[in-house]
């Protein structure tokens, strides 16, 4: 998400998801749960291919 959106756009999207009405409240919530906007590590993941039966 951070590669596709700016930090403020990401916060705006998270506010819609979490229901927070202010950026201050969202940042406080993220700090309380010890969360941060993590870097995108998807490039390190391998896509698994399932065998069809």
């Amino acid at each position: 998400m951070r590669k596709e959106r700016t930090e403020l756009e990401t916060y705006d999207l998270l506010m819609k998801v979490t229901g927070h009405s202010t950026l201050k409240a969202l940042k406080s919530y993220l700090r309380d749960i010890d969360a941060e906007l993590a870097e995108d590590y998807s490039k390190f993941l391998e896509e698994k291919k399932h065998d069809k039966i």
Side-chain angles (χ1 to χ4, degrees):
M1 187 175 338
R2 283 175 56 180
K3 286 188 177 191
E4 298 171 3
R5 295 181 170 80
T6 66
E7 183 178 32
L8 287 177
E9 289 173 328
T10 303
Y11 281 133
D12 185 53
L13 180 61
L14 286 173
M15 286 172 60
K16 291 175 185 173
V17 171
T18 63
H20 289 90
S21 58
T22 66
L23 182 56
K24 183 177 179 180
L26 175 64
K27 286 184 174 183
S28 177
Y29 168 73
L30 292 173
R31 188 173 42 254
D32 288 346
I33 64 168
D34 200 26
E36 65 179 66
L37 299 179
E39 290 186 40
D40 182 5
Y41 291 103
S42 61
K43 63 185 175 193
F44 297 110
L45 302 175
E46 293 181 19
E47 185 177 328
K48 289 187 176 182
K49 294 182 181 178
H50 297 290
D51 294 330
K52 291 184 180 182
I53 299 177

